[in-house]
Amino acid sequence: MDWLDQVKWDAAGLVPVIAQEQATGDVLMVAWMNREALQKTAELGRAVYFSRSRGRLWFKGEESGHVQQVHEIRMDCDNDVLLLKVTQQGHDPSIACHTGRHSCFFQRQEAGRWVSVEPVLKNPSEIYT
């Protein structure tokens, strides 16, 4: 059986993917992959996702320059979630989020509200031109 056939794709042919920084263990982001994105990620050693909003493959960093080098691809016990162990590369390797932060998980629930707990490292208007 082909390794791609073992993934439990959802009805839209997608699987959720967690990108984790290899060096720190920080969870950087969650995205989606279709079969082609996963195959290209494995071939290139670079994160390629499927953008649901754009309806096409999204080579991480194609606009921002914040590329993710992939060291490992793992699958969970139910075969329906993937984990990428990555190293951020590019113009500013400390940024993974389109908001200019290190991680997309920068909001923490405190006393019934969401509080931003990570600083903006670079203004998004300077990243996306």
Side-chain angles (χ1 to χ4, degrees), residues 114-129:
W114 294 105
V115 178
S116 293
V117 295
E118 287 191 18
V120 173
L121 302 174
K122 190 169 190 177
N123 187 318
S125 66
E126 297 173 26
I127 299 171
Y128 301 96
T129 55

Side-chain angles (χ1 to χ4, degrees), residues 3-124:
W3 67 277
L4 291 165
D5 292 335
Q6 295 177 28
V7 176
K8 289 185 184 172
W9 308 98
D10 71 9
L14 302 174
V15 65
V17 183
I18 301 163
Q20 180 183 41
E21 191 170 45
Q22 181 177 4
T24 66
D26 290 348
V27 174
L28 299 175
M29 56 181 276
V30 173
W32 296 88
M33 284 185 174
N34 63 7
R35 185 182 187 97
E36 183 181 9
L38 179 55
Q39 188 165 13
K40 285 196 178 296
T41 296
E43 289 171 5
L44 299 174
R46 172 185 175 186
V48 180
Y49 300 108
F50 182 82
S51 171
R52 295 178 302 165
S53 61
R54 298 176 191 135
R56 65 171 177 81
L57 291 185
W58 160 41
F59 289 74
K60 175 70 171 148
E62 66 188 7
E63 294 177 17
S64 66
H66 302 140
V67 174
Q68 292 174 342
Q69 175 189 2
V70 177
H71 301 283
E72 287 185 57
I73 303 171
R74 295 188 181 202
M75 186 164 58
D76 78 330
C77 58
D78 293 324
N79 294 9
D80 61 0
V81 178
L82 301 178
L83 172 70
L84 301 183
K85 297 212 177 203
V86 304
T87 298
Q88 285 288 134
Q89 299 177 326
H91 304 300
D92 189 339
S94 61
I95 298 173
C97 183
H98 76 280
T99 65
R101 292 176 172 88
H102 175 63
S103 168
C104 293
F105 295 93
F106 60 88
Q107 299 178 87
R108 180 171 60 209
Q109 191 279 337
E110 292 181 6
R113 62 189 182 98
W114 294 105
V115 178
S116 293
V117 295
E118 287 191 18
V120 173
L121 302 174
K122 190 169 190 177
N123 187 318

